[in-house]
Amino acid sequence: MKRYIRLTIFLIAFTGVVTSAQVDLTREKCREMALEYSRQIKLSKNRKEQALLDKKIATAAHLPNFSASGLYFYKPDALEYSLDGGPLPTYQPDQNGELQPNVMVNPQTGEPVMGSDGNPVFNMYAMMPDMNLNLGLEGVTSAGIQLEQPVYMGGKIRTANKMAETGIEVADINMELKTSEIIAETDEAYFQYISVKAKKQAAKDYKVLLDSLVASIEASVQEGMATRNDLLKAQVKKNEAILMVQKANSGLQLARMNLCRIIGLPFETEIAINEQLSDGNSKTIQAENSSIELRPEYQMLTKAIEMGSYEEKMARSEMLPKIGISAGYNYFGGLEINGQGTEEMAFSAMASVKIPVFKWFEERNKVTKAKLQTEAAKMKLEETEKLLQLEIAQAQFNMEDAKKRLELTQSALDQAEENLETSRDRYEAGMERLVDLLQAQAQWQEAKSNKIDAQTSVKLMYTKYLKATGKLTKL
């Protein structure tokens, strides 16, 4: 019993250790985990595999087709047929040795004598007896192999191969598009977590200032150097700081859960990120000459136009002749005629040509439809080009605005820190009111929070700029 209790305690303790273990994360690790976990990426990989199979299927159409066939037929009762006999006309050789009908000729007219039935009358007839046929079908078998090779299919096979190759390229582009979207989403969640974590620390620092101020005022009240009203004002601000810390902690938990959702970890997983927000190389982040041709969206639309041209060729191929050849070797046996069996093995070859003549304009309508689809793809590309250019310009402006905001918030924070230090000195010297010191502390906390938002914005705007220019997955 004691051993059982000890084992239970050990398992509970071990489970507690496992569930409380933290996962160390970096931005690169988060990206890798998000890409590995993302269902969109898995779906894109599935489409890529399908495209590769389409290519193999299209390639196989060039190759000859081998097939084998076999047949077994059993009928217990034989088939019996009777052929009536009767007179048969005769023939005789002429001077050249060729057989000519042995008809009766009228010596006066030199014309053949015609019977009452309208047929010529022969000088001599041969009598054919009645004939009975018995076909035995007990175990008729046939087997053979066949080789078929398409020679010309109106360009359909070649076009299908090009379409399959383009399909693989589209699958790769779609993979890149989904990858950039996942990376952008991951970066946003990652820096959001760091931002909330920094705000939580700023709220704690603000609370520490107020704790120190409240303690100082309480001592002053006891000595009669401060009023009860001053203490209440400071305590109100302290309570606000406590609530601020609580909200920051709740926000941090939500940010952690959101990041875990994206990278595929359970919501209750504790994470550890050592990266801190900093100005870093924000001044060196510059917009580069960018082209919309790097955007996956643009590339997919150009491939759509290319696929449209192939659809036209496929439709036209249905209007062209088709040529093929085939050869086979076959065995046939088991058929009996009047008790005598037959067995035969033979080689056969065939060439076929199929020329479409008229199908009520079906192929022509298909060609026209394919042309309209290609024109629609071109118009969509023209419209999307302007939207992508606008998106790049907007991302560039947002990045520049974020950098400028960071400079201004840093300046505001420096001023708030200087003002807080001056206000604290003046308050301690009795030259400033408590309300002014509380306001200076609140201004410092607000400036600190704004600085954190600005630092986060620079990081996110740079990621969005790279995504807008199609460079996010190429770093």
Side-chain angles (χ1 to χ4, degrees):
M1 185 65 180
K2 292 181 179 179
R3 183 179 301 175
Y4 175 80
I5 295 175
R6 291 174 183 173
L7 179 60
T8 304
I9 294 175
F10 171 78
L11 291 176
I12 294 175
F14 179 77
T15 304
V17 171
V18 172
T19 56
S20 62
Q22 289 185 338
V23 178
D24 295 329
L25 296 175
T26 63
R27 182 168 66 162
E28 292 302 323
K29 187 174 181 179
C30 286
R31 287 181 174 186
E32 293 175 359
M33 294 176 66
L35 292 175
E36 183 178 357
Y37 174 73
S38 172
R39 290 178 175 82
Q40 293 296 325
I41 297 298
K42 293 178 181 178
L43 181 60
S44 298
K45 291 181 179 179
N46 180 279
R47 291 174 178 171
K48 173 69 177 294
E49 293 176 358
Q50 293 184 42
L52 292 173
L53 291 175
D54 287 338
K55 172 60 179 174
K56 292 181 179 180
I57 294 172
T59 303
H62 284 287
L63 305 176
N65 293 328
F66 290 92
S67 61
S69 61
L71 172 68
Y72 177 81
F73 182 81
Y74 175 80
K75 187 177 186 301
D77 299 329
L79 299 178
E80 297 181 356
Y81 297 93
S82 296
L83 299 177
D84 296 334
L88 297 176
T90 58
Y91 291 80
Q92 61 182 2
D94 59 7
Q95 297 177 352
N96 298 325
E98 297 181 358
L99 295 177
Q100 299 294 334
N102 186 16
V103 297
M104 183 180 297
V105 178
N106 188 338
Q108 298 180 355
T109 62
E111 297 293 332
V113 177
M114 307 300 293
S116 58
D117 56 359
N119 294 321
V121 178
F122 283 74
N123 291 319
M124 186 179 296
Y125 290 89
M127 293 302 296
M128 184 187 76
D130 295 339
M131 183 179 296
N132 295 322
L133 294 178
N134 185 288
L135 299 179
L137 302 175
E138 297 182 3
V140 177
T141 58
S142 68
I145 56 174
Q146 193 81 10
L147 172 65
E148 298 176 338
Q149 174 63 56
V151 178
Y152 177 72
M153 304 299 290
K156 185 175 183 179
I157 297 178
R158 182 172 60 254
T159 304
N161 273 270
K162 292 182 178 179
M163 291 180 68
E165 292 174 357
T166 304
I168 295 175
E169 295 174 358
V170 170
D172 289 332
I173 296 172
N174 183 67
M175 178 81 72
E176 182 179 354
L177 174 62
K178 297 302 179 183
T179 299
S180 64
E181 292 176 350
I182 295 300
I183 291 177
E185 183 183 13
T186 304
D187 282 6
E188 183 174 0
Y190 178 82
F191 286 115
Q192 185 66 28
Y193 176 83
I194 296 177
S195 174
V196 177
K197 182 179 178 182
K199 286 187 175 183
K200 178 181 177 181
Q201 184 59 46
K204 287 182 177 180
D205 294 340
Y206 180 50
K207 180 178 176 297
V208 169
L209 291 177
L210 290 170
D211 287 341
S212 177
L213 180 60
V214 169
S216 176
I217 295 176
E218 286 177 346
S220 298
V221 169
Q222 293 178 359
E223 296 177 0
M225 299 178 61
T227 64
R228 176 69 177 174
N229 188 35
D230 290 340
L231 179 59
L232 292 175
K233 291 179 180 179
Q235 288 177 338
V236 168
K237 289 295 182 180
K238 178 181 177 180
N239 292 333
E240 292 178 356
I242 294 174
L243 181 59
M244 191 179 298
V245 172
Q246 179 63 32
K247 288 184 177 180
N249 184 66
S250 299
L252 184 62
Q253 295 302 318
L254 290 175
R256 176 188 58 79
M257 294 171 67
N258 184 49
L259 182 58
C260 289
R261 174 188 65 85
I262 294 174
I263 63 179
L265 292 177
F267 281 164
E268 63 273 10
T269 304
E270 294 297 331
I271 62 177
I273 299 178
N274 295 325
E275 183 176 352
Q276 302 292 330
L277 286 174
S278 62
D279 297 350
N281 58 348
S282 60
K283 295 183 179 180
T284 62
I285 297 177
Q286 300 293 334
E288 304 173 358
N289 294 330
S290 302
S291 173
I292 60 174
E293 295 179 357
L294 295 177
R295 286 288 294 270
E297 296 90 335
Y298 177 86
Q299 297 173 8
M300 292 185 71
L301 288 175
T302 57
K303 292 300 178 182
I305 296 175
E306 186 176 338
M307 290 289 282
S309 65
Y310 292 146
E311 291 287 351
E312 292 183 37
K313 293 180 180 180
M314 288 289 284
R316 291 184 184 278
S317 68
E318 298 294 334
M319 305 171 64
L320 301 176
K322 296 175 178 58
I323 303 174
I325 58 176
S326 63
Y329 196 78
N330 299 279
Y331 163 82
F332 180 81
L335 177 66
E336 294 183 356
I337 301 178
N338 291 340
Q340 295 183 354
T342 60
E343 187 173 0
E344 182 180 2
M345 299 184 69
F347 171 80
S348 62
M350 180 180 66
S352 64
V353 179
K354 182 180 180 181
I355 302 176
V357 178
F358 183 71
K359 287 187 177 181
W360 301 99
F361 306 106
E362 178 182 352
E363 287 81 6
R364 185 178 300 176
N365 291 334
K366 288 182 179 179
V367 173
T368 303
K369 180 181 178 181
K371 286 183 178 180
L372 292 174
Q373 291 175 341
T374 304
E375 292 177 4
K378 290 180 179 179
M379 289 187 289
K380 187 174 182 179
L381 177 62
E382 293 175 358
E383 180 182 4
T384 305
E385 283 180 347
K386 298 179 181 179
L387 294 175
L388 294 178
Q389 291 172 351
L390 181 62
E391 186 175 342
I392 292 176
Q394 183 179 7
Q396 180 177 344
F397 292 147
N398 290 340
M399 186 175 65
E400 296 298 329
D401 291 344
K403 290 165 57 180
K404 185 63 177 179
R405 180 187 176 191
L406 179 58
E407 294 178 6
L408 295 176
T409 54
Q410 179 60 55
S411 177
L413 179 59
D414 293 339
Q415 294 172 359
E417 289 177 348
E418 182 180 356
N419 180 56
L420 177 59
E421 184 177 356
T422 302
S423 181
R424 185 187 297 112
D425 294 340
R426 289 175 59 85
Y427 175 76
E428 292 176 354
M431 300 175 60
E432 188 167 277
R433 298 177 303 169
L434 174 63
V435 66
D436 295 328
L437 176 58
L438 294 175
Q439 184 178 1
Q441 290 178 337
Q443 289 175 346
W444 172 85
Q445 196 280 332
E446 182 180 1
K448 183 70 173 178
S449 179
N450 291 337
K451 171 71 180 301
I452 294 172
D453 288 338
Q455 290 173 321
T456 306
S457 180
V458 169
K459 299 286 188 181
L460 295 181
M461 291 303 108
Y462 184 55
T463 296
K464 291 182 179 181
Y465 171 76
L466 292 177
K467 181 176 182 295
T469 55
K471 300 177 182 178
L472 185 57
T473 60
K474 298 177 174 59
L475 295 179

